[in-house]
Amino acid sequence: MSANYLGREKGYRDVAGFSEAHLSIADAFSPVESYGEKILAMFQDISRLGFHGVDLWTAHCSPAWATGVHYEAVRHASKVTGVKVTSVAGTLGGNLATLEELCILARGVGTDLLGCGGQLLQTHFGEAAALLERYDLRLGFENHPAEKTPLDVLEQIRHGGHPRIGATLDTGWFCTHGYPVEAAIEALREHLLLVHLKNVEAPGGHTAQAWDKGYLDFGPIVRKLREVGFEGPISIEYEPTDHDPGESCSACRKQVEAWLEEVPAGGAR
């Protein structure tokens, strides 16, 4: 998850939150003259950590400023490093224009999956589905942050009312709302397209924690994903504002891979 580099452009100092970080990243990444070098360096760092895919946050390639040159640079960085853009992370907002911009971006950077939350589906479900059809994309609707239970997500996606619209399960937000993550996986098992594997300090809050330091035990969660037959991307999300999360994310990746090996897809041993 490239949003893990939330505080990178400010040197992990005095990062007030996502909005401020988003602006600092846009200032650093939007200039077309230096974008190729910047995005390649980020992909190289991700590759060195042992990852072969990235959930690309729209701060690092935004519909607000990205051009065909930016998209080409992302595709080049992906080809050079072997790091595939598995999905685009961002927000749908509440209007179809934003969704179409995200669709253009996703196609531009070479992915067919959006992992986004927002209120758009409540009022424009049919039109959103039509846009996804037009651009040959899938949308994993994320429980972020208003959806407190799997039923809230199912209502947003009309209980699987369109084959291109499913769910992105954010473990951290379900924990924040006090909903058992394994139960959420079971409830959404038929609709899961993407998982944001994120830990937080404790239910009731949303303070980011390293995978092995927070409230959640990732082992049972990953095994549950395997048991229900989930084979989509797992995005490791850890967004501290005061230090580089890379080594922690790499350690988490290794452990997740080990847990996945313990249980064959579709059933427990």
Side-chain angles (χ1 to χ4, degrees):
M1 162 71 78
S2 74
N4 293 343
Y5 292 131
L6 179 72
R8 186 174 184 171
E9 301 309 316
K10 295 196 70 177
Y12 299 101
R13 295 188 300 272
D14 302 320
V15 182
F18 271 80
S19 294
E20 182 189 43
H22 203 290
L23 291 174
S24 69
I25 293 169
D27 286 344
F29 275 76
S30 58
V32 68
E33 298 82 5
S34 57
Y35 186 75
E37 180 180 350
K38 291 283 293 183
I39 199 70
L40 178 59
M42 189 177 78
F43 273 56
Q44 287 171 332
D45 287 345
I46 292 167
S47 177
R48 278 194 290 268
L49 293 170
F51 289 89
H52 301 288
V54 60
D55 193 1
L56 187 64
W57 187 29
T58 51
H60 291 109
C61 190
S62 171
W65 45 258
T67 66
V69 176
H70 292 89
Y71 299 151
E72 184 179 357
V74 172
R75 295 194 303 270
H76 175 74
S78 178
K79 182 178 180 180
V80 168
T81 61
V83 176
K84 179 183 178 182
V85 180
T86 58
S87 44
V88 167
T91 180
L92 295 173
N95 62 76
L96 290 167
T98 299
L99 174 58
E100 185 158 20
E101 290 173 347
L102 287 169
C103 289
I104 293 169
L105 185 150
R107 275 293 159 215
V109 300
T111 186
D112 71 343
L113 179 59
L114 301 172
C116 305
Q119 302 306 308
L120 180 68
L121 297 184
Q122 290 183 2
T123 54
H124 294 88
F125 186 90
E127 297 96 325
L131 273 176
L132 294 168
E133 288 278 5
R134 185 191 310 170
Y135 287 94
D136 193 19
L137 295 172
R138 299 171 296 149
L139 168 64
F141 177 83
E142 185 181 16
N143 55 300
H144 184 306
E147 293 71 33
K148 298 180 180 180
T149 71
L151 180 58
D152 293 337
V153 175
L154 288 168
E155 289 176 347
Q156 288 273 10
I157 67 173
R158 308 288 174 91
H159 295 265
H162 194 279
R164 291 189 179 274
I165 299 177
T168 293
L169 189 151
D170 186 306
T171 61
W173 276 109
F174 275 130
C175 181
T176 290
H177 293 306
Y179 197 94
V181 175
E182 291 166 76
I185 292 170
E186 181 65 36
L188 296 171
R189 62 185 295 168
E190 301 298 327
H191 310 286
L192 288 178
L193 297 179
L194 173 64
V195 171
H196 287 173
L197 193 62
K198 178 170 60 180
N199 216 338
V200 295
E201 189 173 68
H206 203 70
T207 302
Q209 289 290 334
W211 68 280
D212 56 344
K213 304 296 183 183
Y215 183 86
L216 293 173
D217 181 353
F218 279 178
I221 292 170
V222 174
R223 294 186 190 102
K224 182 65 176 179
L225 288 169
R226 196 67 157 168
E227 288 169 10
V228 302
F230 177 71
E231 296 183 346
I234 297 174
S235 177
I236 294 173
E237 184 173 356
Y238 174 40
E239 298 146 342
T241 59
D242 60 353
H243 65 275
D244 189 318
E247 294 304 322
S248 176
C249 290
S250 182
C252 182
R253 174 192 56 77
K254 293 174 184 176
Q255 185 59 71
V256 168
E257 289 172 349
W259 284 323
L260 290 172
E261 288 297 318
E262 293 178 7
V263 183
R269 285 176 178 164

